[in-house]
Amino acid sequence: MNPNSVEVLLVEDNINDAELTIRELRKHHMANNLFHVKDGEEALDFIFGTGKFADSRDLLCKPKVVLLDIQMPKVNGIEVLQKVKSDARTRATPVVILTSSKEDPDIQKCYDLGANSYIVKPVNFESFAEAIKNLGFYWLLLNQQPT
Amino acid sequence: MPVLKIIRSRLLHAVFISACMVLHLYAQPVVSREYQIKAVFIFNFTQFVDWPQTAFPDADAPLVIAVLGDNPFGSYLNETVAGEKINGHPVIVQYYNRTEEIQNCHILFIALSDPQKSEQVISGIKGKSILTIGDSPDFLKRGGMIKFFKRKNNIRFEINPAATKSASLTLSSKLLRVAEIFDPSKKS
Amino acid sequence: MFFKDIPIRRKLMRGIVLICGMVLLVTCISFFGYELYVFRKSTKEKLSTIGKIIAANSTAALAFDSHEDAKEILAALRTEPNIVSAALYDQNGKLFSWYPANRDIREFPEKPGTMQFRLSHNFLEGFQPVAQDKKQLGYLYLKSDLGGMYERFRVFGVVAAFVIILSFLLAWLLSKLLQKSISNPILALAETAKMISEQQDYSVRAVKLGQDELGSLTDAFNNMLTQIEQQNLKLHEFNQNLEMKVKERTIQLESVNKELEAFSYSISHDLRAPLRGIIGFTTILEEDYSSKLDDEARRITAVIRNNTLKMGHLIDDLLTFSRMGRQDIIKTIVHTDQMIEEIIREVVPENRMGKISWVLHPVPDVQGDINALRQVWINLISNAVKYSGNREQPKIEIGSVRERGQTVFFVKDNGVGFDEKYKDKLFRVFQRLHSADEFEGTGVGLAIVEKITSKHGGRVWAEGTLNKGAAFYFTLPDF
């Protein structure tokens, strides 16, 4: 896949969760331009065109939404969020926190850092599926992106 | 006038004698108060007069009260001195009629009518320690030691201290105080 | 003011002066009495002597009936102003002479009486025999007043008063000086004690002023102070030790708390994720391989899913329970009525909303942690809904009463109720009184309620009757 045509960047270390998320999005035909990275470091490399993606990424081509998990090895979601939202080039990119944590401090911190949305991954699959569907519809189809 | 004088003195004498006789007549059963008192006085004198040691032969010798002449006291004097003792000397009374009968006595009451006789008696016992008592007015002039007299119905007596002194008799000052003191220089 | 409350200074002085006074009084009275006695005696003797002299002098007067002499002798009594009257009686007891001459005869006794000189009506009078050489001549009567005595006593009184006053003054002065030597050390000690207790400075020591009992008192006092000082030091040390220990414990507790927090934090992530995986993939199985699964297989996958869901709930509840325990309550004013309405809308499933009849009484606002209290109401109301689910006409009543100065909130339902003998188990973690087949639940809900209410300083209890219904009460402190 062309890194520059990514619409959805899924940052998720749990492969099961990743699989389930991708499956649902695919169900609704929203996974065509989905790129999955497994940790924060990769995510940052992708977003800022560094490391692995040093050559291949054009920063002007921004994904439509970043689905970001918090608990990740190496660089966790909070850091990624912070970096994304503090850089002028990437600030406008919508970041949806998709995580298991219902803890208030996390929620608060993410919003403080500029997260656009905070979704708790429900254990119940139906709800999960519903959540993903809504996410997809909203951010990929409904939401107007800045150019 | 000499005749009147003689008559007067005789008259006085007569009166005196009759008085005495009357008194004598009546004296027998009752002694006049005057002589009762005098009797008491005579006895009392014994308590106020000190006789010299020589007047008593011994300690038990009697103290003699003698009456010379007409006894005016009746038995009163006897009654008064009955049982009395002066300094251990029993007091007794003796009665003399005549001068010659005078024996050793300590007190001599001279009841003679004749004053000259009294004077004789007095001078006769001069020097002896005998207390001479009388009641004639000039008794002391005549040498007597104690003279009774009346004043306001009281029996008083006059003492001649010189006479008692020459008889070696010591009179208590108390007695002298009660008595009138005879002053020989005074003309009566 | 009682004797025991008078200052020591005055006590000593008054005591000394009083004693002196009493001693003086006793002495004076004794002297006085003695003087009286001696004076009477000497007066009698004097009178007797005068009598004897007069009598001796008047023997001749009596013997020779000399009234004048007697009068003169008696008149000599003029020189003795205390002799009021005198008389001589003759041997027969008849009045012979009297003194003073102008006195009425009737004032004299008629005849001689007792030979002793006696006191009668403030006069001394009596008879004396007049005798010359043991020969009784008469009697002498003498009457003397006690003027001399009164005069004497007047003098005595003045002198005594003077002496007493002087002595009192002296006693007062001396006592004033003396009491100082006793009261000053005592006052100094008292002052030191007061100062020490006021300033709480136990390093001060009292000054020992002598070797007497006060000296030993001072020593004992100082010893006590030393002990107090030492004890204070020990206490202080102990306190500090304690504080240090408390600090340590607090640090330990805090770190434990932090660990727990981190623990539950990681749980909420790490435990949920696999559950999601299980359910997710089971669903995939069901969806993608539905043609290959028979009814039994589908039942099995359902069981897998249900169990996993349950586990998820359990984890949620446990996390809530743990959080409630750790978190401090942030007190704000909570509008309970509003909260209850919201909760009912949230908690009650759509299909049941219509069936349940709600009796909602107005409930007062309270002060407490809004989230925690929310949890309480959620748990109680959802329990009420759950356990009255099998009723034809479920009825839930919510309200509050004022009891013994506290507000008691209640949630009553007419559901299955519970056996009262197990009511102690209700609020314990994982304790359930109904099996999971009858009613789903984790057994943590009520434990959470109990934890929250007790953190607020209130308490929770329940009443229930099997198959009749249950009522849950809780109190919150007034604000």
Side-chain angles (χ1 to χ4, degrees):
Chain A
M1 183 185 309
N2 181 5
N4 290 324
S5 62
V6 168
E7 288 186 333
V8 179
L9 176 65
L10 175 64
V11 188
E12 172 65 70
D13 66 320
N14 186 322
I15 47 168
N16 290 334
D17 277 347
E19 195 179 326
L20 290 169
T21 307
I22 294 169
R23 196 187 131 90
E24 285 310 302
L25 282 171
R26 194 167 285 149
K27 235 199 241 177
H28 302 290
H29 312 291
M30 288 186 273
N32 295 337
N33 295 317
L34 182 140
F35 192 69
H36 172 219
V37 292
K38 294 191 192 71
D39 58 58
E41 189 186 52
E42 264 200 70
L44 286 172
D45 281 344
F46 180 86
I47 292 168
F48 290 105
T50 51
K52 255 190 354 203
F53 302 94
D55 304 318
S56 49
R57 276 279 293 136
D58 175 15
L59 262 63
L60 289 168
C61 300
K62 294 176 278 217
K64 279 195 180 170
V65 66
V66 176
L67 299 178
L68 182 59
D69 186 18
I70 298 184
Q71 291 286 80
M72 286 189 296
K74 292 196 208 162
V75 179
N76 71 17
I78 304 282
E79 276 188 63
V80 174
L81 175 66
Q82 193 180 13
K83 287 228 162 76
V84 168
K85 286 297 174 181
S86 58
D87 192 314
R89 300 170 290 174
T90 53
R91 192 182 293 152
T93 312
V95 177
V96 172
I97 307 291
L98 195 65
T99 184
S100 312
S101 168
K102 254 204 296 198
E103 302 295 307
D104 252 348
D106 287 335
I107 303 174
Q108 190 59 45
K109 204 193 270 178
C110 291
Y111 273 113
D112 283 345
L113 289 169
N116 297 76
S117 174
Y118 191 104
I119 310 279
V120 177
K121 283 188 266 186
V123 170
N124 183 349
F125 188 73
E126 275 170 29
S127 317
F128 182 71
E130 188 75 19
I132 298 295
K133 183 177 95 183
N134 290 336
L135 261 178
F137 269 124
Y138 182 76
W139 291 105
L140 293 171
L141 299 174
L142 228 58
N143 194 31
Q144 282 293 94
Q145 298 275 340
T147 44
Chain B
M1 285 163 57
V3 177
L4 275 161
K5 236 189 183 165
I6 295 163
I7 295 167
R8 213 172 85 198
S9 71
R10 289 270 185 219
L11 208 62
L12 269 166
H13 258 184
V15 169
F16 188 66
I17 287 168
S18 31
C20 279
M21 284 169 86
V22 169
L23 273 170
H24 190 76
L25 271 168
Y26 286 94
Q28 291 296 26
V30 154
V31 178
S32 73
R33 177 146 178 77
E34 179 186 336
Y35 280 95
Q36 280 180 357
I37 292 170
K38 283 182 183 165
V40 170
F41 279 21
I42 290 171
F43 170 68
N44 284 343
F45 285 145
T46 60
Q47 293 164 43
F48 295 95
V49 175
D50 281 328
W51 280 266
Q53 198 76 341
T54 51
F56 295 95
D58 56 62
D60 296 330
L63 194 150
V64 181
I65 301 177
V67 179
L68 178 64
D70 268 328
N71 174 23
F73 303 107
S75 60
Y76 201 75
L77 196 55
N78 289 70
E79 286 162 23
T80 308
V81 309
E84 298 287 352
K85 275 195 184 171
I86 301 292
N87 291 335
H89 304 290
V91 184
I92 59 170
V93 187
Q94 282 177 348
Y95 295 95
Y96 307 133
N97 279 319
R98 288 172 307 174
T99 320
E100 298 77 28
E101 293 172 32
I102 297 174
Q103 290 168 21
N104 275 340
C105 58
H106 301 91
I107 298 180
L108 183 64
F109 183 78
I110 301 174
L112 294 170
S113 45
D114 189 356
Q116 272 179 331
K117 259 227 169 133
S118 306
E119 195 172 344
Q120 270 179 346
V121 171
I122 288 165
S123 52
I125 56 170
K126 207 171 184 162
K128 288 201 184 152
S129 304
I130 298 174
L131 184 72
T132 52
I133 308 175
D135 44 16
S136 54
D138 54 359
F139 188 71
L140 294 177
K141 283 207 203 102
R142 299 215 183 255
M145 294 177 197
I146 299 182
K147 175 189 106 179
F148 282 123
F149 67 92
K150 263 202 181 152
R151 180 181 294 148
K152 292 188 202 152
N153 272 338
N154 287 333
I155 307 294
R156 301 253 82 106
F157 49 90
E158 199 177 343
I159 299 179
N160 184 355
T164 55
K165 198 166 166 196
S166 60
S168 311
L169 294 170
T170 319
L171 265 52
S172 164
S173 57
K174 297 180 203 171
L175 184 62
L176 291 170
R177 223 179 40 220
V178 187
E180 298 248 354
I181 306 298
F182 175 67
D183 185 359
S185 57
K186 271 214 304 218
K187 298 278 184 229
S188 62
Chain C
M1 176 105 110
F2 296 113
F3 186 67
K4 60 179 171 69
D5 296 329
I6 302 174
I8 280 190
R9 193 171 274 140
R10 253 191 260 160
K11 235 188 270 210
L12 281 169
M13 276 176 63
R14 280 193 197 178
I16 290 175
V17 166
L18 199 77
I19 290 172
C20 284
M22 286 221 317
V23 165
L24 274 171
L25 202 71
V26 167
T27 310
C28 278
I29 288 177
S30 328
F31 262 111
F32 199 82
Y34 178 69
E35 276 294 300
L36 196 74
Y37 167 73
V38 161
F39 185 76
R40 280 238 291 269
K41 196 154 156 223
S42 74
T43 308
K44 270 192 205 160
E45 279 170 10
K46 192 166 89 167
L47 206 64
S48 181
T49 308
I50 290 177
K52 287 194 186 116
I53 294 172
I54 300 284
N57 278 346
S58 36
T59 47
L62 278 169
F64 300 110
D65 209 27
S66 173
H67 294 266
E68 282 141 25
D69 197 36
K71 201 156 135 187
E72 207 180 303
I73 290 170
L74 287 179
L77 289 168
R78 233 195 342 254
T79 53
E80 182 55 51
N82 285 326
I83 293 189
V84 172
S85 57
L88 280 167
Y89 295 79
D90 64 16
Q91 260 172 307
N92 302 320
K94 209 171 111 191
L95 188 65
F96 182 73
S97 181
W98 58 93
Y99 161 84
N102 51 10
R103 192 68 57 87
D104 191 345
I105 301 181
R106 285 169 293 186
E107 285 183 29
F108 294 90
E110 268 185 35
K111 50 183 169 76
T114 50
M115 288 298 113
Q116 298 288 329
F117 280 108
R118 292 241 186 103
L119 251 178
S120 73
H121 315 299
N122 272 349
F123 289 104
L124 207 59
E125 61 181 6
F127 288 91
Q128 186 104 40
V130 181
Q132 177 79 28
D133 296 336
K134 297 179 211 155
K135 303 242 187 303
Q136 179 99 0
L137 290 166
Y139 306 92
L140 173 67
Y141 166 77
L142 280 176
K143 185 173 178 184
S144 167
D145 68 10
L146 301 171
M149 181 167 79
Y150 293 142
E151 181 59 36
R152 201 183 166 88
F153 282 133
R154 203 168 65 83
V155 171
F156 186 81
V158 166
V159 170
F162 185 71
V163 166
I164 286 174
I165 288 170
L166 201 71
S167 310
F168 254 104
L169 244 115
L170 216 68
W172 187 79
L173 267 162
L174 283 172
S175 71
K176 201 164 175 171
L177 289 168
L178 195 77
Q179 60 82 20
K180 274 206 186 114
S181 68
I182 293 178
S183 73
N184 275 356
I186 294 176
L187 287 170
L189 197 64
E191 193 61 42
T192 310
K194 194 167 121 180
M195 190 181 75
I196 289 176
S197 71
E198 268 173 16
Q199 296 176 7
Q200 306 267 334
D201 179 10
Y202 298 102
S203 62
V204 178
R205 293 286 178 272
V207 177
K208 184 169 167 177
L209 289 169
Q211 286 297 333
D212 61 353
E213 289 86 341
L214 276 169
S216 1
L217 183 66
T218 313
D219 281 338
F221 183 70
N222 285 341
N223 276 345
M224 242 173 31
L225 284 172
T226 311
Q227 278 182 22
I228 290 177
E229 245 191 326
Q230 286 175 351
Q231 276 177 359
N232 269 3
L233 262 154
K234 276 201 199 125
L235 265 169
H236 189 66
E237 264 179 52
F238 188 69
N239 221 21
Q240 286 198 318
N241 234 10
L242 213 66
E243 282 200 337
M244 231 165 49
K245 283 212 179 96
V246 165
K247 261 202 196 107
E248 278 177 33
R249 290 278 182 273
T250 314
I251 291 172
Q252 281 177 4
L253 273 169
E254 279 175 359
S255 75
V256 166
N257 242 18
K258 276 210 178 78
E259 280 175 26
L260 272 170
E261 223 180 287
F263 179 67
S264 48
Y265 186 77
S266 68
I267 282 177
S268 70
H269 260 277
D270 300 343
L271 280 181
R272 285 208 191 98
L275 296 184
R276 252 197 318 279
I278 296 171
I279 290 185
F281 282 90
T282 313
T283 312
I284 293 174
L285 196 68
E286 282 175 339
E287 287 176 1
D288 292 356
Y289 294 88
S290 59
S291 53
K292 296 211 176 97
L293 293 171
D294 63 355
D295 288 337
E296 178 62 14
R298 263 189 274 274
R299 188 189 67 80
I300 290 170
T301 54
V303 167
I304 295 171
R305 191 212 307 280
N306 284 338
N307 278 293
T308 317
L309 277 173
K310 206 177 287 180
M311 186 153 169
H313 286 145
L314 204 64
I315 293 171
D316 284 343
D317 285 347
L318 268 173
L319 279 173
T320 311
F321 179 73
S322 160
R323 196 175 348 115
M324 288 304 139
R326 277 182 290 111
Q327 268 175 8
D328 286 329
I329 47 177
I330 303 164
K331 283 201 175 165
T332 51
I333 305 218
V334 176
H335 303 293
T336 322
D337 282 323
Q338 223 173 308
M339 185 186 270
I340 290 173
E341 271 179 51
E342 285 170 14
I343 290 169
I344 291 175
R345 268 177 293 179
E346 274 175 34
V347 157
V348 181
E350 290 280 333
N351 56 347
R352 297 254 284 271
M353 203 47 177
K355 272 212 201 160
I356 303 171
S357 63
W358 295 91
V359 179
L360 300 175
H361 304 287
V363 174
D365 293 346
V366 292
Q367 195 180 51
D369 188 303
I370 195 164
N371 289 325
L373 288 177
R374 194 185 181 80
Q375 193 68 50
V376 167
W377 285 111
I378 288 174
N379 287 4
L380 289 177
I381 292 171
S382 51
N383 270 4
V385 169
K386 185 163 49 172
Y387 288 95
S388 61
N390 59 358
R391 285 275 181 261
E392 272 300 311
Q393 289 166 328
K395 180 166 152 225
I396 299 175
E397 187 185 351
I398 301 174
S400 71
V401 290
R402 195 85 190 147
E403 212 178 69
R404 271 182 275 166
Q406 280 188 307
T407 310
V408 180
F409 302 90
F410 60 82
V411 177
K412 296 185 188 167
D413 67 73
N414 63 347
V416 290
F418 59 89
D419 191 341
E420 278 245 334
K421 73 175 177 213
Y422 296 117
K423 74 170 167 192
D424 292 331
K425 291 195 175 176
L426 271 174
F427 297 98
R428 299 216 202 121
V429 190
F430 293 136
Q431 296 282 3
R432 300 194 75 220
L433 300 186
H434 302 276
S435 75
D437 299 335
E438 300 171 294
F439 300 97
E440 61 128 34
T442 53
V444 184
L446 283 177
I448 292 175
V449 168
E450 200 264 343
K451 208 169 198 109
I452 294 172
T453 47
S454 63
K455 262 217 156 184
H456 278 75
R459 50 182 205 100
V460 63
W461 68 98
E463 286 165 8
T465 331
L466 270 176
N467 285 318
K468 286 268 178 69
F472 285 82
Y473 304 91
F474 70 95
T475 60
L476 288 171
D478 286 345
F479 63 107

